[in-house]
């Protein structure tokens, strides 16, 4: 199932982060929130590294993030 692989990717990314394996990778700020997200993460599908890419409707993603920041 697609949801299972996405969860596995998030868990792997978190484990790599906690072990310091992402200390030297390039990072980009997340739109709206500004926290840093790795541009690459070994073994993690690239599409989940950009939260807006996980939504079918990009404008719905933007709307939800702006509304969530209020």
């Amino acid at each position: 199932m697609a949801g299972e692989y996405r969860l596995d990717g998030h868990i792997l990314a978190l484990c790599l982060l906690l072990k310091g394996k992402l200390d030297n990778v390039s990072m980009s700020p997340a739109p709206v929130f500004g926290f840093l997200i790795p541009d690459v993460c070994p073994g993690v599908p690239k599409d989940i590294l950009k939260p807006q890419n996980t939504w079918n409707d990009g404008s719905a993603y933007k709307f939800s993030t702006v509304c969530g920041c209020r």
Side-chain angles (χ1 to χ4, degrees):
M1 291 176 157
E4 291 177 14
Y5 106 86
R6 290 187 184 281
L7 182 58
D8 288 347
H10 285 99
I11 292 170
L12 176 58
L14 182 58
C15 288
L16 291 170
L17 176 69
L18 292 173
K19 290 181 178 183
K21 302 291 185 182
L22 302 179
D23 289 350
N24 297 315
V25 300
S26 62
M27 306 263 185
S28 297
V32 181
F33 302 108
F35 53 82
L36 296 176
I37 299 175
D39 295 322
V40 294
C41 190
V44 176
K46 270 188 117 171
D47 63 325
I48 68 170
L49 297 177
K50 304 285 184 203
Q52 63 272 24
N53 292 348
T54 64
W55 287 58
N56 291 329
D57 182 351
S59 60
Y61 170 79
K62 286 182 182 180
F63 178 78
S64 69
T65 57
V66 171
C67 289
C69 285
R70 292 183 183 179

